[in-house]
Amino acid sequence: MKTVEVYFVRHGQTFFNRYNRMQGWSDSPLTEQGWQDAKVTGQRLANIPFTAAYSSDTTRAFNTANTIVHSNKSPGLTVKQLPEFREEFYGYFEGADSAQTWFQVLKPISKARNFHDFLMNHDISESKNAVKAADPFHDAEDHQDFWKRLDKGFNYLKTHSQDQDKILVVSHGTTIRSIVARYAPDMDITTSPSNGSVTKLTIKDSQISVDYYFNQIEKIIN
């Protein structure tokens, strides 16, 4: 039986995060706070002997991952980009105000006025389907599109790892929430993971479990 530990980190704060805008495949630079998020996370993960480091192919994730790797004590560690771990694609709504977008998108299927309240009574997969339905171009990813991509990413991790490997993956808030919702449905994902926070998964052969889902960068990682 092969056991692999995967540390999913949400990238540092970006300008779109700061301005509360929808940021899926669109990209904005890390803010000063975002670089600090990455540095603090790197310090907290410095003693974990990573055997591989990955990020999505967005600049915000790649820069965060490189900052974390710079602090890590594992020799020769470099970051490989995996587009499979990008954020959810919001299509027409990319770059739009988040509060307005979620109100518009969720209104046909829920009385919730924001994403947080929606997740209290709905599965996160329903939000993906709602975004695609509301997108006039239908470019946004629905639940099936999203997981077709993510499953390829997890298959890559499984086939490119050895027993007892520890892997870093820098990804995105809604992606991490969606992963936790699938593999640990009893965990509360109504609050987004903080920029720089760490969520740990364990892969045992084909089985995936969530060890913890952290919302606070201040949490100490062991």
Side-chain angles (χ1 to χ4, degrees):
M1 178 178 290
K2 182 172 74 172
T3 300
V4 178
E5 296 178 352
V6 186
Y7 294 76
F8 272 89
V9 174
R10 185 185 177 193
H11 61 79
Q13 185 198 63
T14 68
F15 282 96
F16 271 21
N17 293 151
R18 184 177 178 181
Y19 303 148
N20 195 33
R21 295 198 167 272
M22 303 293 287
Q23 185 175 215
W25 289 9
S26 60
D27 211 3
S28 68
L30 296 177
T31 62
E32 183 177 345
Q33 178 60 51
W35 287 104
Q36 184 63 23
D37 294 337
K39 290 177 183 178
V40 170
T41 303
Q43 292 166 2
R44 293 182 182 279
L45 297 178
N47 293 318
I48 294 180
F50 289 122
T51 50
Y54 302 101
S55 78
S56 81
D57 59 347
T58 62
T59 303
R60 61 192 188 272
F62 185 63
N63 285 342
T64 299
N66 273 321
T67 302
I68 293 171
V69 164
H70 182 74
S71 297
N72 197 264
K73 297 180 181 179
S74 301
L77 194 63
T78 58
V79 179
K80 177 180 175 63
Q81 294 182 329
L82 293 180
E84 290 82 4
F85 289 110
R86 282 182 193 169
E87 181 60 289
E88 175 183 338
F89 183 43
Y90 299 112
Y92 173 79
F93 300 103
E94 290 280 336
D97 179 83
S98 292
Q100 292 177 355
T101 297
W102 285 120
F103 179 77
Q104 175 185 344
V105 164
L106 300 176
K107 189 175 180 180
I109 62 171
S110 173
K111 294 181 179 179
R113 299 183 64 85
N114 56 61
F115 193 37
H116 174 274
D117 291 350
F118 178 82
L119 292 177
M120 293 181 69
N121 298 296
H122 297 267
D123 190 271
I124 196 169
S125 63
E126 297 178 54
S127 69
K128 294 174 174 53
N129 296 337
V131 173
K132 180 142 192 167
D135 181 355
F137 295 90
H138 298 293
D139 287 335
E141 288 183 309
D142 61 13
H143 176 71
Q144 183 176 358
D145 298 330
F146 177 83
W147 275 105
K148 183 178 180 180
R149 173 167 60 84
L150 262 291
D151 283 339
K152 289 180 181 178
F154 277 107
N155 287 337
Y156 183 93
L157 296 183
K158 291 173 185 177
T159 57
H160 290 78
S161 60
Q162 304 296 323
D163 185 37
Q164 301 304 313
D165 276 0
K166 298 180 188 296
I167 299 172
L168 170 71
V169 179
V170 178
S171 187
H172 305 268
T174 301
T175 295
I176 293 170
R177 276 172 142 173
S178 301
I179 291 168
V180 173
R182 168 170 276 201
Y183 296 112
D186 293 333
M187 286 191 177
D188 181 8
I189 62 160
T190 57
T191 300
S192 177
S194 304
N195 293 109
S197 65
V198 182
T199 295
K200 183 184 174 188
L201 276 62
T202 296
I203 303 176
K204 290 186 177 181
D205 289 337
S206 61
Q207 300 298 313
I208 299 175
S209 59
V210 180
D211 298 312
Y212 52 74
Y213 169 69
F214 280 160
N215 295 327
Q216 299 295 330
I217 195 172
E218 291 81 6
K219 296 284 188 180
I220 297 175
I221 309 302
N222 295 315

